[in-house]
Amino acid sequence: MSTESPENNSPELKTSSAEEIKKQFESLHKPRKIKLSNGLVIEVSQPDIFGMIQEGIIPSDLIEFALNMESKYAGNKLKDSKDIPHLLRFMKLVVLHSVIKPKIVDKTPLEAQEDEVPYSYLEPIDKTKIFNEVVSGGKPLEKFRKEQPKPDENAGLGVQKVSKQKTK
């Protein structure tokens, strides 16, 4: 019994060219600017998580978390609070390796060079925003915003229809 799905065996499928694959990669990893909560703007790029694992940037005790991150981390809510330390360490590594300008470094303010910004200078909300932007590529929020239903005129007002009950 074949495990391939019918759509993968379709005769209409055409193999993507090397150029198409390269364009997709470049589009995904293209530097982009994001605005932080304080109004400052930074430049980020999509990190290569597998490359970070291969180069030893992501330590072995975080590899499983990094690979399973999407299933454990969704919508800023962890399914298990014991994962918080793993998330914070992983988030730090991702931020350090995805911010292009200015250079964010894991150094104290005294150790940082003039053109470097210590990681500790970033606000928690900005660390989270950077992480979410580069891990998701900013696309899930766009999709979410487009899929939102149009607001009902009574939405949020606590208005609901109540049927009258018969009393004896």
Side-chain angles (χ1 to χ4, degrees):
M1 183 170 160
S2 175
T3 58
E4 290 192 31
S5 60
E7 63 270 4
N8 286 343
N9 283 330
S10 173
E12 300 95 39
L13 284 179
K14 181 181 168 193
T15 302
S16 300
S17 69
E19 185 64 27
E20 290 171 316
I21 294 171
K22 288 175 186 178
K23 282 183 181 179
Q24 173 67 25
F25 178 85
E26 289 167 2
S27 170
L28 184 62
H29 294 276
K30 180 181 177 184
R32 61 189 180 281
K33 294 178 181 174
I34 60 172
K35 190 175 196 177
L36 301 179
S37 65
N38 56 13
L40 297 174
V41 177
I42 62 169
E43 191 171 347
V44 299
S45 179
Q46 187 89 11
D48 177 6
I49 302 298
F50 288 108
M52 291 172 67
I53 291 170
Q54 287 177 327
E55 293 172 23
I57 295 167
I58 296 177
S60 60
D61 65 316
L62 276 184
I63 291 174
E64 183 178 354
F65 180 82
L67 295 175
N68 293 323
M69 186 208 49
E70 286 184 3
S71 64
K72 290 186 175 192
Y73 179 74
N76 293 333
K77 292 182 182 178
L78 287 173
K79 293 183 179 179
D80 191 343
S81 62
K82 71 179 180 188
D83 286 332
I84 291 173
H86 294 300
L87 174 62
L88 294 176
R89 287 177 52 220
F90 182 63
M91 183 184 297
K92 182 177 185 177
L93 292 170
V94 168
V95 169
L96 290 171
H97 289 87
S98 61
V99 177
I100 300 169
K101 291 180 186 171
K103 182 69 177 159
I104 306 296
V105 294
D106 189 17
K107 297 178 182 177
T108 67
L110 294 175
E111 296 171 328
Q113 300 296 316
E114 189 174 311
D115 61 341
E116 297 176 330
V117 177
Y119 180 78
S120 63
Y121 278 22
L122 294 174
E123 295 294 324
I125 192 168
D126 293 329
K127 293 172 186 176
T128 303
K129 181 175 185 164
I130 294 165
F131 178 78
N132 287 336
E133 282 283 330
V134 300
V135 169
S136 70
K139 298 193 192 269
L141 287 179
E142 287 174 16
K143 182 180 176 190
F144 172 77
R145 289 179 186 130
K146 288 178 185 174
E147 291 177 355
Q148 288 301 302
K150 293 188 175 167
D152 181 5
E153 64 184 43
N154 292 325
L157 299 176
V159 177
Q160 57 181 303
K161 293 181 181 179
V162 178
S163 61
K164 293 183 179 181
Q165 293 181 339
K166 294 182 182 179
T167 56
K168 292 186 182 179

